[in-house]
Amino acid sequence: MMLNVSVALLCAFLLLVAVYVVVARSVLAAIISMGVFSMLVTAVFVVLRAPDVAVTEAVIGAGLITAFFVIALDKTSEQ
Amino acid sequence: MKRTTAALIVTVLVVLAGFAASELPSEAERAEPVNHAIRSLADTGAVNAVSAVLFDYRAFDTLGEATVIITTAMIVAFLAPQARASMLSVRMSGIVLYGVVLLLPFIAVFGLAIMLYGHISPGGGFTGGVVLSTSAVLYAVVYSAGGQQSYVLAPATNKMIENVAMTAFLAVGFFGMAASGAFLANAATGIGLGTPGSLLSAGTIPLLNVISGLKVGVGLAIIIISLFLE
């Protein structure tokens, strides 16, 4: 019982963050909330007892992807 | 002339494919449920069933995946122009410079721990490699501002490690073939599976973990650094 309550809560929050990524005004805010999205997905994986996937998602989703987009944003923003 | 040699090669490959297809498991064998999770501890000695599948039952697929990483790294390193390394327009402030100094050892140790304990705890070669590459990228990004590039490992060493790790992966495969007739074999090669849960258990799985971890770490570092610093 506790399991699907926490998963439902996390998924609801995931949905909120996903919507915010789309409607965020500044691109940087969207990128950071994508990092938050990855962390929440990691939390869902941990709750569903898939630790390998959780570790991989945390490292790649929050770590590399966010870094990629931030650096890309900096390189493409006009000085 | 070229057309005939091409046709010849194709026919040879088709014949070989025919032989391989004839050895596919029959309908009955395929119906029998193969449950890796239950047998994985007995067969491979790896407590973490995921790394047992990754590096023993499906080690050949992992070899393919490692090849994908090495080809991507080659292509990106080749395409990204090395001319001007205007990294970030902004110069890193003092806090960042000294903060990263404190942060880097912990990230590297964390990556190594995940890699070395791959067959016991969750994670494994690939995840540990990604963490290591994150630490390499963090160092390169923060400390190479304004054209002066500084790396944890010089790009040439990166590429050398990548190739050495790739040949090591193949060497483990051929060792398996030499010792027991099956490419990338693990338990059959006679290397002790050790007591489950100890660091040196599960035959060649920790070895393959470290090798693929190095490959992913160095490969991703090459990709990201050549993209960021171009």
Side-chain angles (χ1 to χ4, degrees):
Chain A
M1 226 307 276
M2 239 347 254
L3 187 70
N4 20 18
V5 165
S6 47
V7 168
L9 264 175
L10 277 171
C11 288
F13 196 29
L14 265 179
L15 204 61
L16 274 175
V17 171
V19 166
Y20 178 67
V21 167
V22 174
V23 302
R25 269 177 306 284
S26 85
V27 179
L28 190 61
I31 293 173
I32 303 299
S33 43
M34 258 173 60
V36 171
F37 185 86
S38 297
M39 287 316 288
L40 284 171
V41 170
T42 315
V44 169
F45 285 149
V46 169
V47 166
L48 294 180
R49 287 197 300 281
D52 278 82
V53 185
V55 172
T56 311
E57 170 63 23
V59 168
I60 293 181
L64 285 180
I65 301 284
T66 317
F68 256 102
F69 281 117
V70 167
I71 304 284
L73 175 66
D74 178 77
K75 276 183 177 293
T76 50
S77 57
E78 71 293 341
Q79 256 71 33
Chain B
M1 175 47 197
K2 204 173 290 184
R3 197 181 298 272
T4 50
T5 48
L8 187 68
I9 294 172
V10 166
T11 44
V12 167
L13 289 178
V14 165
V15 166
L16 286 178
F19 280 136
S22 64
E23 286 163 11
L24 284 177
S26 64
E27 206 52 46
E29 277 164 1
R30 245 202 307 260
E32 179 251 331
V34 174
N35 195 329
H36 292 311
I38 294 176
R39 292 201 338 253
S40 76
L41 185 58
D43 285 0
T44 62
V47 174
N48 179 5
V50 173
S51 68
V53 170
L54 252 180
F55 293 111
D56 188 351
Y57 294 114
R58 282 284 177 272
F60 197 66
D61 301 356
T62 314
L63 178 70
E65 200 177 316
T67 324
V68 163
I69 292 176
I70 194 169
T71 31
T72 325
M74 270 191 262
I75 294 168
V76 167
F78 177 69
L79 286 181
Q82 293 297 340
R84 46 172 186 80
S86 65
M87 174 50 232
L88 279 180
S89 51
V90 68
R91 178 96 176 74
M92 294 295 172
S93 73
I95 300 172
V96 174
L97 293 175
Y98 293 107
V100 164
V101 168
L102 297 177
L103 205 60
L104 270 180
F106 295 103
I107 298 180
V109 165
F110 177 60
L112 280 175
I114 288 189
M115 197 194 306
L116 290 176
Y117 281 84
H119 55 292
I120 306 167
S121 68
F126 290 94
T127 322
V130 173
V131 173
L132 284 181
S133 71
T134 318
S135 68
V137 164
L138 185 63
Y139 184 89
V141 163
V142 168
Y143 291 111
S144 62
Q148 167 257 341
Q149 289 177 349
S150 63
Y151 299 114
V152 175
L153 290 171
T157 354
N158 272 350
K159 296 186 175 81
M160 193 265 296
I161 294 179
E162 176 92 25
N163 303 333
V164 163
M166 188 64 196
T167 39
F169 203 114
L170 290 172
V172 170
F174 286 122
F175 168 70
M177 185 181 276
S180 70
F183 189 67
L184 281 178
N186 180 8
T189 55
I191 306 176
L193 289 185
T195 57
S198 72
L199 191 54
L200 284 181
S201 69
T204 58
I205 291 187
L207 189 61
L208 286 179
N209 253 326
V210 170
I211 289 174
S212 65
L214 277 178
K215 274 186 64 57
V216 169
V218 168
L220 277 180
I222 291 175
I223 292 173
I224 299 174
I225 289 177
S226 57
L227 278 179
F228 285 176
L229 299 187
E230 48 90 17

